[in-house]
Amino acid sequence: MPGRWHACSGSRSPRGKHLISPSPPGGGTDAVSRLIAAKLGEQAKWQVVVDTKPGAGNNIGLEFGAKSPPDGYTAVLGETSNLVVNQFLYKKLSFDPVKDLAPVALVGTGVSVLVVRADSPFDNLASLLAGSKKKPLAYASSGNGTVGHLVAENLRVTTGADLLHVPYKGGGPAMTDLLGGQVDFYFSSLVSALPLIKTHKLRALAVTSGARDPSLPDVPTLVESGFKGFEYYTLYGVVVPANTPENIVRTMNREINRVLEMADVRANLAARGIYVRTGTPETFNAFLVSERTKWAQVVKASGATAE
């Protein structure tokens, strides 16, 4: 059918396809959405329009996608907060991210890094946690319920460290106050922190990935720092309304994977701290299931809530 998410032979459909970005313009999700939409236009000859629908902890865009007709015209680029974490943070959502959405393709995963100012007295995670028991430490996050917030809270609960959460409306203000000395540490996205680490304005203490990141080979993981099971990513993936026909889902998956295999796309995403992870809709779903199990435990242990 014309206009659905299927490969066309060079012709433009009369009705465009929509990729919803639930995050504000200029953020990582928005940038990844626009990259994929543009490359699908080149590769599959699809006319894909990115619709930015931010708000309510990134729930508005995902809800729009969940409640759209399952006709192949609408997809959403979701990420960890709205696909995984929010269902445990919010007492009531107007949609069910598990039942109302179908996984299409995992795009990639991003790494966070624990950073302090270059003049901080802490040169590793152990010294930071020990220091918090002598004097309470404040940490920044880019928002309540974000990966950085929940990882820090899990450390607080696990170790008994005296940590105060200071949420910001985005990573930019959080980083500004870290550099200005208003907070003591921050779990930042790797791509945001790396230039400041390389110019010796920040010191990296640990990364959240399962293995050391190639861009910071001397920085240990949280697991290496003594916290078994502390492996956390920000995932990005495409989902569609539940009951979207399987042939459309399969075609979308195939074409998105073709885009993700392009060298310039991989380089673009790597520059944003996102590492490509392709696979079938089933492998993406299995990853979502494992992430939901992990984050449900973290949210419960931390007592974090968005309401």
Side-chain angles (χ1 to χ4, degrees):
M1 290 185 177
R4 286 187 176 178
W5 288 80
H6 61 83
C8 310
S9 299
S11 62
R12 296 294 185 181
S13 69
R15 179 178 172 188
K17 292 164 274 288
H18 293 264
L19 182 60
I20 308 301
S21 171
S23 298
T29 302
D30 183 64
V32 175
S33 298
R34 295 183 188 282
L35 173 65
I36 290 175
K39 290 299 180 178
L40 284 173
E42 296 175 14
Q43 183 80 21
K45 307 305 178 185
W46 289 347
Q47 184 178 356
V48 183
V49 177
V50 175
D51 286 341
T52 304
K53 296 185 181 296
N58 293 337
N59 287 325
I60 288 177
L62 207 66
E63 178 186 4
F64 182 90
K67 294 184 176 180
S68 294
D71 56 10
Y73 289 101
T74 303
V76 184
L77 185 76
E79 42 83 28
T80 296
S81 67
N82 49 49
L83 286 176
V84 178
V85 174
N86 282 354
Q87 66 191 97
F88 308 114
L89 279 176
Y90 288 80
K91 294 178 181 178
K92 187 176 181 180
L93 292 175
S94 57
F95 69 99
D96 186 327
V98 178
K99 296 180 180 179
D100 296 337
L101 292 159
V104 173
L106 176 62
V107 171
T109 52
V111 177
S112 297
V113 57
L114 171 56
V115 287
V116 297
R117 292 183 306 282
D119 61 355
S120 170
F122 310 120
D123 55 9
N124 55 45
L125 181 56
S127 65
L128 183 146
L129 294 172
S132 77
K133 296 182 179 180
K134 299 176 182 178
K135 179 183 177 182
L137 299 179
Y139 72 90
S141 83
S142 58
N144 195 35
T146 56
V147 169
H149 169 212
L150 295 175
V151 174
E153 283 300 293
N154 206 18
L155 283 173
R156 180 185 64 79
V157 171
T158 301
T159 64
D162 194 351
L163 306 177
L164 172 66
H165 178 215
V166 183
Y168 291 84
K169 293 182 178 180
M175 186 66 80
T176 296
D177 271 12
L178 174 66
L179 291 168
Q182 280 71 43
V183 291
D184 297 293
F185 69 95
Y186 172 38
F187 274 99
S188 168
S189 66
L190 180 60
V191 67
S192 296
L194 195 57
L196 296 166
I197 296 169
K198 296 297 186 182
T199 54
H200 307 291
K201 294 178 181 178
L202 292 178
R203 181 184 303 143
L205 304 189
V207 292
T208 63
S209 48
R212 295 194 182 197
D213 193 272
S215 60
L216 294 172
D218 297 328
V219 178
T221 66
L222 290 173
V223 175
E224 288 179 296
S225 301
F227 296 92
K228 184 178 180 180
F230 275 55
E231 181 179 343
Y232 302 104
Y233 300 94
T234 298
L235 71 86
Y236 299 86
V238 176
V239 295
V240 291
N243 300 318
T244 297
E246 183 179 357
N247 67 311
I248 294 176
V249 172
R250 297 286 173 191
T251 301
M252 290 174 65
N253 174 270
R254 181 180 69 245
E255 296 298 333
I256 291 170
N257 283 341
R258 286 178 64 196
V259 163
L260 294 173
E261 293 295 343
M262 298 170 70
D264 61 332
V265 171
R266 286 178 171 263
N268 186 302
L269 292 174
R272 301 179 186 279
I274 300 170
Y275 297 98
V276 169
R277 295 179 64 166
T278 58
T280 64
E282 289 78 12
T283 56
F284 181 24
N285 185 62
F287 187 55
L288 285 171
V289 170
S290 66
E291 287 291 285
R292 284 169 179 146
T293 300
K294 177 187 296 183
W295 286 108
Q297 296 169 348
V298 172
V299 173
K300 183 179 180 180
S302 70
T305 178
E307 299 174 330

